Amino acid sequence: MYWIYRIVAVAIAFSALVYVLWAAPRYLDPSGSDPVKQERDRRWVNTSPYFVDRQACSWLTLCGLHHLRADPASRDYKNQGQLRLDPPTPDVGRGEKPGSRDIPDYVFKHAPIVHLYSGEQFWPSDMRDHIAHMDVQLNSAVLNDTGPWDLDNMRHLNELNGSVFLHSKNNVEDRPAWLHSRYNIPSAFPTDAEPASDEPAVLDEDASTTPHHPHVKPSDFGQSRAVHAQPTLQKVLSGGKHKQTQDEDAQGHKPDVQGYSAAPAVLVLADKGEGVVDAFWFFFYSYNLGQTVLTMRFGNHVADWEHCMVRFKDGVPQGMYLSEHEGGQAYAWEAMEKRNTTFRGVPGAAERPVIYSALGSHAMYATPGVHAYILPFNMLKDVTDEGPLWDPSLNHYAYHYDYKSDDDFHPDNAGEVKSIVDAGDDKPPETLSPAASNPNAPTSWFHFRGRWGDGVYPLADVRQWRLFGQYHYVSGPQGPKFKNLGRKKMCLAKKCRIRHERDGSGTWY
């Protein structure tokens, strides 16, 4: 009889385990479920050619176990085509507008300073570089289009009827160099072995390319190299201990001691009325490396948009929002760490908030350290530290955004956007205006409704697995326009709690 008790005990334990594996993903899923999502998931599970895999996925939430393998940060060309699309046309004259408005000084006086993680493998990326390595995918089929897509014509992709994704030409697990963007690393010291010139670098504004960056003119950026003869950021923040040398100043478009990165950030100003102005700073990366749980990696995706927002009232900063997981976090201005820097030649005139970018995921936090989320016991966590300083104010596109006039923004439903299927603009949108500092900045890319990276890989793909509801690879994100820029609250999520202290952020629950 003893063996019967053992069998019953094992059966009960197994049943309990099955229930936990079934219930945990549903309980931890912050977005909930609906019939459309369930049907989409059923189709995804059915892409597996193996019966056992499909059953294990449906009942035990263990999908693609035979695909499990190591996924280190550092590791053939892939191009297929079925459909054709007419060559895209640029949005001629969309950038330069008479009466372009300046960005107020207070926005730069309180612009963020970003500490990238010291061990980061996927650094800030240039949108132009990223697009050059992407195909266009419509309804899971890669288009064999005849013309190159660019920041100046991307809105025309909205005319396609279906789900539109930018799709990597390379197998991302081969870790092509453009995915890492190492040449965009802001660094406190010279990073190359080339002999330095004794002459200061001179940027040719008439040249079609730069020595370091083949796609963009220096004058295309709003603040690009305009450091206004200020002391180096690294020197100011280190109390003057680091002595700037002429060699370090002569690096051209390579990362330098001023926190300059060749990858431009994006600054979008949204006027909310009654003296309230939100300054959104967006940061683009070509790859998001997911985090590991029990040595298994989850949440990889091609393309990554992160952002922070400083809210001003009559030119005075009131608070700050940081894009973290599950909706991000808002802080009162007095809670943020700040450092005083020189502005317009006046030492200590600029009070700038300091934020920390997490390893791999690039989520933004107010403190360095370990930040657990979703799971207890630090099983799933982000890590930040005081790595290389990035000053996005030195190289960025700057815009004013009239969200109230944008058809894609609906105040009645908290800034949700129209489906990609509901496309087909009759005329170019006029809601985004380049700032006076960069009147020719491209605007078409901002209105692209699709995803900037590959769609979620099917279960049949050898790169894909899903355990306990968490995918190895998820879909790439939409762009800045679809981050609810017209929101009244500082938070991106509907529930908004403003923290008045930095400690205690990043708890798993």
Side-chain angles (χ1 to χ4, degrees):
M1 293 292 293
Y2 180 69
W3 61 272
I4 296 180
Y5 292 121
R6 297 183 65 178
I7 291 176
V8 171
V10 170
I12 293 174
F14 180 75
S15 299
L17 176 62
V18 170
Y19 176 77
V20 170
L21 295 178
W22 175 85
R26 291 159 176 78
Y27 176 76
L28 295 173
D29 184 0
S31 61
S33 186
D34 56 65
V36 174
K37 184 176 179 180
Q38 292 171 358
E39 175 60 22
R40 186 187 307 120
D41 184 71
R42 185 188 65 79
R43 292 197 303 266
W44 181 83
V45 172
N46 287 338
T47 64
S48 175
Y50 305 109
F51 174 81
V52 173
D53 189 28
R54 295 195 298 271
Q55 299 307 308
C57 188
S58 298
W59 294 98
L60 302 179
T61 68
L62 303 176
C63 313
L65 285 177
H66 55 298
H67 294 160
L68 284 174
R69 63 194 178 282
D71 184 18
S74 300
R75 308 248 188 255
D76 352 276
Y77 184 81
K78 176 181 175 183
N79 193 3
Q80 50 184 329
Q82 297 178 4
L83 304 178
R84 295 184 65 85
L85 192 67
D86 292 335
T89 56
D91 293 329
V92 179
R94 295 278 303 121
E96 191 166 359
K97 294 176 179 291
S100 296
R101 291 175 289 167
D102 287 319
I103 300 295
D105 270 357
Y106 61 76
V107 172
F108 296 114
K109 287 178 66 175
H110 305 294
I113 302 167
V114 184
H115 268 298
L116 301 170
Y117 189 74
S118 57
E120 182 60 70
Q121 295 293 318
F122 301 96
W123 300 91
S125 303
D126 190 321
M127 293 183 290
R128 290 185 187 271
D129 288 344
H130 179 81
I131 296 171
H133 293 94
M134 306 296 284
D135 286 323
V136 176
Q137 189 180 58
L138 175 66
N139 297 329
S140 302
V142 176
L143 297 177
N144 185 18
D145 48 63
T146 57
W149 293 99
D150 187 86
L151 299 182
D152 296 307
N153 58 32
M154 286 180 66
R155 77 171 183 87
H156 293 293
L157 291 172
N158 296 339
E159 299 165 11
L160 298 172
N161 186 20
S163 298
V164 181
F165 292 82
L166 299 185
H167 184 78
S168 173
K169 296 178 180 179
N170 305 98
N171 179 358
V172 295
E173 295 204 341
D174 291 338
R175 298 294 192 262
W178 63 270
L179 214 62
H180 291 274
S181 300
R182 289 192 176 94
Y183 50 83
N184 288 324
I185 304 174
S187 176
F189 304 97
T191 57
D192 61 311
E194 298 176 6
S197 170
D198 292 333
E199 296 296 327
V202 177
L203 297 179
D204 184 1
E205 296 290 336
D206 296 325
S208 60
T209 61
T210 68
H212 181 61
H213 195 305
H215 297 293
V216 190
K217 294 180 181 179
S219 57
D220 283 346
F221 301 147
Q223 296 295 314
S224 194
R225 301 288 300 170
V227 294
H228 306 296
Q230 300 177 20
T232 67
L233 180 69
Q234 187 70 33
K235 180 178 179 180
V236 171
L237 300 185
S238 62
K241 296 179 181 179
H242 174 62
K243 183 179 179 181
Q244 182 182 0
T245 66
Q246 187 177 34
D247 292 346
E248 291 169 344
D249 278 339
Q251 295 183 81
H253 270 254
K254 296 180 181 178
D256 59 23
V257 296
Q258 292 158 329
Y260 171 89
S261 171
V266 176
L267 169 62
V268 179
L269 256 60
D271 190 338
K272 304 298 175 65
E274 298 182 352
V276 177
V277 174
D278 287 346
F280 292 89
W281 290 90
F282 285 93
F283 313 106
F284 181 73
Y285 305 81
S286 281
Y287 195 68
N288 179 103
L289 183 70
Q291 306 301 347
T292 59
V293 178
L294 301 177
T295 73
M296 294 172 289
R297 194 178 297 282
F298 300 94
N300 292 350
H301 55 85
V302 179
D304 188 20
W305 280 104
E306 300 293 341
H307 75 281
C308 66
M309 178 262 277
V310 180
R311 172 158 290 183
F312 296 93
K313 171 69 172 176
D314 297 325
V316 179
Q318 303 295 308
M320 191 166 189
Y321 166 83
L322 305 180
S323 60
E324 302 172 6
H325 302 282
E326 313 307 332
Q329 182 62 59
Y331 295 86
W333 183 253
E334 64 269 16
M336 294 298 299
E337 175 188 352
K338 292 175 283 289
R339 301 181 191 174
N340 294 326
T341 62
T342 296
F343 185 78
R344 302 296 188 193
V346 180
E351 184 183 61
R352 303 183 60 181
V354 181
I355 54 182
Y356 297 84
S357 176
L359 170 65
S361 73
H362 311 119
M364 318 210 82
Y365 294 93
T367 59
V370 175
H371 312 272
Y373 60 99
I374 298 182
L375 298 177
F377 312 119
N378 284 347
M379 295 178 63
L380 187 60
K381 62 182 181 296
D382 276 326
V383 182
T384 59
D385 70 6
E386 296 184 352
L389 276 169
W390 180 19
D391 184 354
S393 71
L394 298 182
N395 184 10
H396 62 270
Y397 296 112
Y399 303 95
H400 295 272
Y401 179 47
D402 180 10
Y403 64 91
K404 294 180 181 178
S405 302
D406 200 316
D407 290 338
D408 279 325
F409 180 78
H410 303 283
D412 293 337
N413 55 16
E416 294 178 4
V417 299
K418 295 187 295 184
S419 167
I420 297 172
V421 177
D422 182 18
D425 296 330
D426 294 328
K427 60 181 180 180
E430 299 289 345
T431 56
L432 188 74
S433 303
S437 56
N438 50 191
N440 297 310
T443 59
S444 185
W445 65 272
F446 181 81
H447 301 284
F448 170 54
R449 296 191 184 108
R451 304 274 181 163
W452 283 73
D454 301 16
V456 59
Y457 296 146
L459 182 54
D461 194 309
V462 296
R463 297 170 292 184
Q464 185 67 293
W465 62 72
R466 185 180 76 184
L467 305 180
F468 317 125
Q470 302 300 314
Y471 292 82
H472 183 212
Y473 280 94
V474 298
S475 295
Q478 286 184 291
K481 181 178 180 177
F482 305 102
K483 303 300 183 183
N484 197 358
L485 304 188
R487 59 186 185 258
K488 294 181 179 179
K489 298 180 179 180
M490 286 202 296
C491 304
L492 187 59
K494 292 182 179 179
K495 294 183 179 180
C496 186
R497 176 191 174 192
I498 300 177
R499 290 186 177 274
H500 290 266
E501 72 290 326
R502 292 195 301 276
D503 297 335
S505 64
T507 51
W508 70 272
Y509 51 84

